[in-house]
Amino acid sequence: MESDVREPAIRTIMMPRDTNPLGCIFGGHIVSLIDQAAVQCAINVANRNFVTKLIKDVEFIEPVNVGDVVTFYGKVTSVGRTSVCVRIDVEAQHMKGAMPPKSVTSAELVLVAVDDEGKPIPVKN
Ligand SMILES: CC(C)(COP(=O)(O)OP(=O)(O)OC[C@H]1O[C@@H](n2cnc3c(N)ncnc32)[C@H](O)[C@@H]1OP(=O)(O)O)[C@@H](O)C(=O)NCCC(=O)NCCS
């Protein structure tokens, strides 16, 4: 089932502790939040435990800066038997909000519903 809804799964302010040596936000921090946002979207489809199978097509479009308010929008693109595919689009806006939000990163993820032993289970009963 594909959804047209673009959900703001996470919105957070970027902190100095998450910078790289150049002073902008470390890409791995953004990917970690993308992963968490995608799990939120999958849980909205079905209340299961999900693990990340695949993160692909990660594109860092523009740098993210300390103090930016960053929003992770998720869209469920398909639901399989045991997997959910999610697209995440990340937008950043300076905390004082003088400029409109800009697109900074995007990615596609596959999450798999698992049981207590970590084995794939149907997303829906
Ligand atoms: C996720 C995991 C349980 C899947 O096991 P698996 O043996 O690949 O399971 P399956 O082959 O049955 O595939 C499960 C689903 O993933 C999909 N899938 C598997 N490999 C895929 C790939 N490379 N790309 C896209 N989808 C894939 C399958 O199509 C299937 O979806 P469907 O049932 O909707 O058709 C296992 O790979 C695992 O435990 N991986 C580690 C997860 C992890 O630690 N993640 C990081 C922390 S959350």
Side-chain angles (χ1 to χ4, degrees):
M1 181 185 59
E2 189 170 328
S3 160
D4 286 333
V5 180
R6 200 175 77 132
E7 304 164 53
I10 296 177
R11 178 169 288 141
T12 186
I13 297 177
M14 294 294 111
M15 303 299 280
R17 64 172 179 248
D18 297 314
T19 53
N20 62 25
L22 298 176
C24 58
I25 299 301
F26 174 51
H29 181 61
I30 303 289
V31 172
S32 171
L33 290 166
I34 284 173
D35 196 7
Q36 293 172 52
V39 171
Q40 282 302 317
C41 295
I43 288 171
N44 287 344
V45 173
N47 190 13
R48 296 268 189 267
N49 289 321
F50 284 93
V51 293
T52 306
K53 179 67 185 180
L54 188 74
I55 302 179
K56 64 177 180 177
D57 296 339
V58 180
E59 182 180 1
F60 295 105
I61 301 158
E62 290 208 33
V64 178
N65 298 305
V66 171
D68 282 353
V69 177
V70 180
T71 306
F72 294 75
Y73 290 98
K75 183 178 170 187
V76 173
T77 55
S78 65
V79 178
R81 195 180 77 82
T82 66
S83 67
V84 175
C85 299
V86 179
R87 179 183 168 87
I88 300 290
D89 289 296
V90 187
E91 293 184 2
Q93 185 172 35
H94 189 269
M95 76 180 155
K96 290 185 179 154
M99 301 289 284
K102 60 184 180 181
S103 186
V104 290
T105 312
S106 61
E108 310 270 346
L109 298 92
V110 177
L111 294 308
V112 177
V114 293
D115 63 16
D116 290 344
E117 276 78 49
K119 301 292 178 213
I121 55 170
V123 173
K124 299 269 173 94
N125 289 324

